[in-house]
Amino acid sequence: MVSLLSRLLRPFGFTPWPVTVLSTSLYIVLLASLLYVHEVVPPAPTKAVPVNGINVTEAWADLQELTDGFRPYNSRRNDEVRDWLLRRIDAILEDNGVQPLVEGGYPEQDNVSVSAIWSGKNSKPSPTSRNDTVSSPVIIYNDLLSNVTFSSGGGLSSSGRKRTAGQSVYFEGTNIIVYIRGSRDDEHRSKAITSEPASRAGGVLVSAHYDSVSTGFGATDNGVGVVTALQLIKYYTTTGHEPNKGIVILLNNGEEDFLNGARAFARHPISQFPHVFLNLEGAGAGGRATLFRSTDTEVTRFYSASPYPFGTVVSSDGFKRGLIRSQTDYIVFDRVLGLRGLDVAFMEPRARYHTDQDDTRHTSVNSLWHMLSASLATTKGMTSDTSSTFDWCVDHHQKGDGELSPGSEGVWFDLYGRFFAVLPLKLLYALSIALLVLAPLLLIILVPVLSRFDRMYFFSAKARSNASDDDGVPLYGWRGIARFPLALFASIAAVVGLAYLITKVNPFIIYSSPYAVWGTMLSAWIFVFWFCLGVADFVRPTALYRAYALMWMFLLGWMGLIAVTVLEERYQIAGGYLLAVYFLGIFLALIISFLECFALPRKSDYASSGRLGAAPLRLSSGRSSALMAPSADEQAALESGEGEEEAEATTESTSLLRRSARRPTTFAHYSTPTRDPEHGHDEGEDGTGMIGEAWKKAHGDEQQWTSGLTGPGWLLQLLVLAPINVILIGQVALLFTSATSQTGADGNSQLFVYGAMAALSTLLLLPLSPFLHRVPYPLPTLLLLVFGSTLLYNLVAFPFSANNRYKMYFLQTVDLETGINTVSLSGLAPFVPRIIHHLPSAAGQPIAASRETRGKVGLTRFAWHGLAPNVVVDHPPARPPPPPETRYADWLHVNVTRIAGPAASSSSSASHEAHFQLYGRQTRACKLVFDRPIADFSVAGAAVDDRFDRVPARVGASEIRLWRREWERAWDVRVRWEAAREGEGGGTGESEGGGEGEIGDGLDGKVVCLWSDQNVRGVIPALDEIRRYAPDWVAVTKLADGLVEGEKRFMV
């Protein structure tokens, strides 16, 4: 029976080929499956109506219609899309036999103050009709009343030496809001806005913005989100799908410019009704829709019902720590409205983001279905929830009026895009503490247990029998203890060196060839680690390396888990689940190594067996003495006369490096037992005083007592180490690659990207490290060839292609007083000049290079005199056209008046106010830019909301951005500024009144109007020229809110 079991387990023994075949196969399966899940979007259903109330074919047709042109807020196409959306909503409701109630403004009272509602006693609005006797399951709010004033930015400069001013924004919203009444809402439909809340349970908000950037069609940013919202309207108004809780569908306008639409929604009273939200977004141009971030554990559980969940909390940690700088409407719903919810968005490929390749040609029905199916499953859970988890707090002493019950920080991640794990961060913290305490404690307990059974071979130099005159038999138990840290250091140094090399020579190769970079990193790491182990094993073979490697991994993992636990407790960083799971696998593998020791002979038995003959233990290596220089413990054994080897007779034909009859299959030299010259029999024969059968099967030249370590225990260790960790780390590695590989064009550090890949490569391959010394040379040799070929490619290949285009940033500025216009492209110095060289209008011109200052740190701005824009067209056009300085001057009208007040020497600020009247032709976006920060401002007709600061506190605002609904309507703006004190600098205006200690008493700056509509060819000829003549590996996107900026200076 034992013999049969031995034969069955032999293919899984810890010998070279089983280790090579099984570990390689396991990694190939794991990595290939991860790549498949990451690259292949689950197919959409073949049926047009996979679910009653959902029509995928209709949704795709809507997406094609929606993306038939650029639709920034400041474009005529944006108005057309808004009208089309209203018609589509009407058509959907008509098909479902629903008669909606349409509200042109706020429910109940058009002039209601949402700030009053916000601060009222427990008042939370219930969406109702204007007439309480009217009952309709759907209310459409065509919101053309909401406006919002807020500020952003400000703080320390990049040097940290001084404070910089922020920006202020005035925005008039054009949101479309659809309220679908829930069954629980019906009981309270007669409640007015300012009465007691209709239900503490609240409702569900689903939001998607329908505007796009001026250079992108916005198929995934955010057309898919919009058509998903339309399908949810269709589903929840279909008979039989009435929601339990009311649903608010928000189609907001202006997200691409400071998240303006969501902030305008916060001004609408219905914004107080939802308690949870699902924000649909796009930060790429296809692929799978990933869960970007979540406010808490409880709301994340709704997303777990998605048929294809995708995402990890690591991305949420990136937002928390500021590693991801871009933002979505999520922060408005979370931070301003205090709601609890989810941010689901497309994230790749970044090269198509905000470009004309973000269209239906480059996305797919599969991507549409991925977001739609996830949204449907999530909202089903949200609307059917009957718990009090998301109710308003009623404990006024603890939570105050109208605050949502707090959620718990969560940990979440998917497995292969089919399973989703969600747990509270507190649970992860408790598990981390338990591992930190219990894992070392259990190992400490096992040490005396092994010693009690006389099988503690770790750190043992000799074994002694029970004989009184026994000086001990050498065990060489310390051999191999330092190999792991040395090999790890060498392999990490190799991949870090590669990161520096690629960054220096060809930093953007990852843009188009991320997997070639991964191939270089992974193959280099494995080969270097294997080579270090191979050299060490050739010199001093040992069977204890596997256990010692796990001990080192345990120590490093334990220290890392301490750091992770601190981050979990202090900063609510949840991505530490990766290290907690990793450490658990290491701990289990190390336990197996300890348990394997029970399969070894007792040390005293081994020593007694060695004492039976004249030569108790001899290793027949046949190697040169230089290669086999003994270690300290071996030298002690030799000096005591133990383990002496009889020199074999040498002849002229003797090899310089003598080898045994059996050829090695790896760096380690394997040999057969030699014959004892004195006793005339083989070592390893039973009886006659030599080592018995139990100890004669050690691997190669490893210690003869280690035959019990050649069994299949290593495979159990590999299975607890590799699969779960490769899956979790691999998913993060692929998400990281998708999110960052094409951000170099934005000026981001490429060294950070390659350095992170080096770290992730180490984490991916570390589970192999205890077993690599058993791998024979053919596989590492193949990996060396892979390394050489991929490295050569990464160093010499051109990094961009037609499918992975280099992104540069366009802006044209016009001095409306002189008629001088300047075209600029911002990007990276090696590439942009080459692109400009292709443009006819730039031929022969000097190209001015300067540092880009508009939020694109690390980029260079290249400018030249370009083709004149035609963004303002006279009807009929003048014949002949007037000269530029005359024609442009009419594009922007501005009147600035200093408001009279007390003498400038007075401490009153009234003498530092000005009134601006301005409007631009054929635009609805302008801005005031000041040479010194202003302290306050107001716009005629603007609402007041205490939740928003008009200017950043302490630092003021350096500009005011103005957005309005109507075309060519003037703004009335009052501005107040503080007089600069001597030594503070200030504006360039002359001091009025000559107040002591005051300089620069006036306010200087410029008025700028923006034009963003390029749907008609010839409106912006400079942009048309770039698209026509630039190479096919180039994409153009907008640098600022406007494609063309026209400006006039002012002094007050």
Side-chain angles (χ1 to χ4, degrees), residues 114-115 117-119 123-127 193 197 199 202-203 248 265-275 336-337 339 392 402 945 947:
V114 72
S115 59
I117 295 174
W118 185 268
S119 59
S123 58
K124 302 295 168 192
S126 171
I193 294 178
S199 170
V248 175
F265 171 72
R267 287 284 308 145
H268 196 287
I270 201 174
S271 66
Q272 307 303 294
F273 172 68
H275 291 186
V336 177
L337 293 176
L339 307 183
W392 296 113
D945 195 324
R947 294 170 295 172

Side-chain angles (χ1 to χ4, degrees), residues 246-442:
I247 300 178
V248 175
I249 305 291
L250 168 64
L251 302 177
N252 78 75
N253 192 13
E255 187 272 350
E256 297 292 356
D257 310 302
F258 288 87
L259 313 179
N260 293 338
R263 288 187 167 96
F265 171 72
R267 287 284 308 145
H268 196 287
I270 201 174
S271 66
Q272 307 303 294
F273 172 68
H275 291 186
V276 295
F277 70 89
L278 172 63
N279 184 55
L280 304 177
E281 250 295 358
R288 296 184 185 224
T290 181
L291 179 59
F292 255 16
R293 48 186 162 173
S294 167
T295 57
D296 55 79
T297 307
E298 293 76 20
V299 75
T300 309
R301 292 197 173 102
F302 295 130
Y303 178 79
S304 62
S306 170
Y308 307 106
F310 194 66
T312 170
V313 72
V314 174
S315 62
S316 183
D317 289 341
F319 280 103
K320 283 182 180 179
R321 307 315 303 169
L323 298 177
I324 303 176
R325 295 194 296 261
S326 60
Q327 291 292 355
T328 69
D329 290 332
Y330 171 97
I331 63 169
V332 178
F333 305 137
D334 175 26
R335 300 177 187 177
V336 177
L337 293 176
L339 307 183
R340 299 165 60 180
L342 310 169
D343 204 11
V344 176
F346 295 101
M347 57 163 295
E348 63 172 338
R350 293 283 295 183
R352 292 173 181 162
Y353 177 56
H354 283 182
T355 73
D356 55 3
Q357 282 191 351
D358 184 10
D359 55 10
T360 53
R361 178 184 300 176
H362 293 93
T363 188
S364 67
V365 178
N366 297 340
S367 293
L368 168 60
W369 174 246
H370 191 264
M371 175 171 276
L372 177 54
S373 60
S375 301
L376 181 60
T378 302
T379 54
K380 279 183 177 180
M382 288 178 169
T383 58
S384 61
D385 178 62
T386 57
S387 69
S388 60
T389 304
F390 305 99
D391 288 1
W392 296 113
C393 292
V394 294
D395 189 342
H396 305 289
H397 296 289
Q398 293 186 10
K399 302 298 179 184
D401 292 337
E403 185 176 336
L404 271 178
S405 302
S408 62
E409 292 286 343
V411 180
W412 39 269
F413 54 90
D414 78 282
L415 292 173
Y416 281 117
R418 295 305 300 263
F419 309 100
F420 200 72
V422 186
L423 66 153
L425 181 59
K426 290 182 178 179
L427 178 58
L428 175 63
Y429 178 74
L431 292 174
S432 300
I433 293 293
L435 282 173
L436 287 172
V437 175
L438 296 180
L441 183 61
L442 184 56

Side-chain angles (χ1 to χ4, degrees), residues 35 70 123 265 275 399 448 657 726 735 926 989 1003 1011 1013:
L35 284 172
F70 309 111
S123 58
F265 171 72
H275 291 186
K399 302 298 179 184
L657 294 178
V726 171
L735 284 172
C926 293
L1003 182 67
W1011 289 268
D1013 196 342

Side-chain angles (χ1 to χ4, degrees), residues 114-354:
V114 72
S115 59
I117 295 174
W118 185 268
S119 59
K121 293 183 178 180
N122 248 358
S123 58
K124 302 295 168 192
S126 171
T128 66
S129 64
R130 190 176 299 276
N131 186 341
D132 287 341
T133 62
V134 178
S135 177
S136 174
V138 177
I139 303 174
I140 301 174
Y141 298 113
N142 185 14
D143 184 11
L144 297 175
L145 291 177
S146 296
N147 65 70
V148 62
T149 304
F150 64 95
S151 63
S152 65
L156 292 177
S157 64
S158 57
S159 65
R161 298 176 181 177
K162 61 180 181 179
R163 290 187 170 273
T164 59
Q167 299 121 2
S168 296
V169 177
Y170 169 76
F171 177 79
E172 297 176 357
T174 58
N175 295 335
I176 300 173
I177 308 169
V178 179
Y179 164 68
I180 304 173
R181 193 182 304 279
S183 58
R184 295 179 67 180
D185 301 335
D186 286 341
E187 304 171 5
H188 308 275
R189 65 172 182 248
S190 63
K191 295 292 183 182
I193 294 178
T194 56
S195 68
E196 291 298 312
S199 170
R200 291 208 313 270
V204 177
L205 169 67
V206 179
S207 176
H209 69 88
Y210 65 84
D211 62 309
S212 73
V213 295
S214 53
T215 53
F217 295 107
T220 54
D221 183 24
N222 188 26
V224 175
V226 171
V227 300
T228 294
L230 292 177
Q231 287 299 305
L232 292 179
I233 294 174
K234 182 182 183 72
Y235 178 83
Y236 286 109
T237 57
T238 299
T239 302
H241 295 158
E242 180 188 38
N244 184 32
K245 293 182 178 179
I247 300 178
V248 175
I249 305 291
L250 168 64
L251 302 177
N252 78 75
N253 192 13
E255 187 272 350
E256 297 292 356
D257 310 302
F258 288 87
L259 313 179
N260 293 338
R263 288 187 167 96
F265 171 72
R267 287 284 308 145
H268 196 287
I270 201 174
S271 66
Q272 307 303 294
F273 172 68
H275 291 186
V276 295
F277 70 89
L278 172 63
N279 184 55
L280 304 177
E281 250 295 358
R288 296 184 185 224
T290 181
L291 179 59
F292 255 16
R293 48 186 162 173
S294 167
T295 57
D296 55 79
T297 307
E298 293 76 20
V299 75
T300 309
R301 292 197 173 102
F302 295 130
Y303 178 79
S304 62
S306 170
Y308 307 106
F310 194 66
T312 170
V313 72
V314 174
S315 62
S316 183
D317 289 341
F319 280 103
K320 283 182 180 179
R321 307 315 303 169
L323 298 177
I324 303 176
R325 295 194 296 261
S326 60
Q327 291 292 355
T328 69
D329 290 332
Y330 171 97
I331 63 169
V332 178
F333 305 137
D334 175 26
R335 300 177 187 177
V336 177
L337 293 176
L339 307 183
R340 299 165 60 180
L342 310 169
D343 204 11
V344 176
F346 295 101
M347 57 163 295
E348 63 172 338
R350 293 283 295 183
R352 292 173 181 162
Y353 177 56
H354 283 182

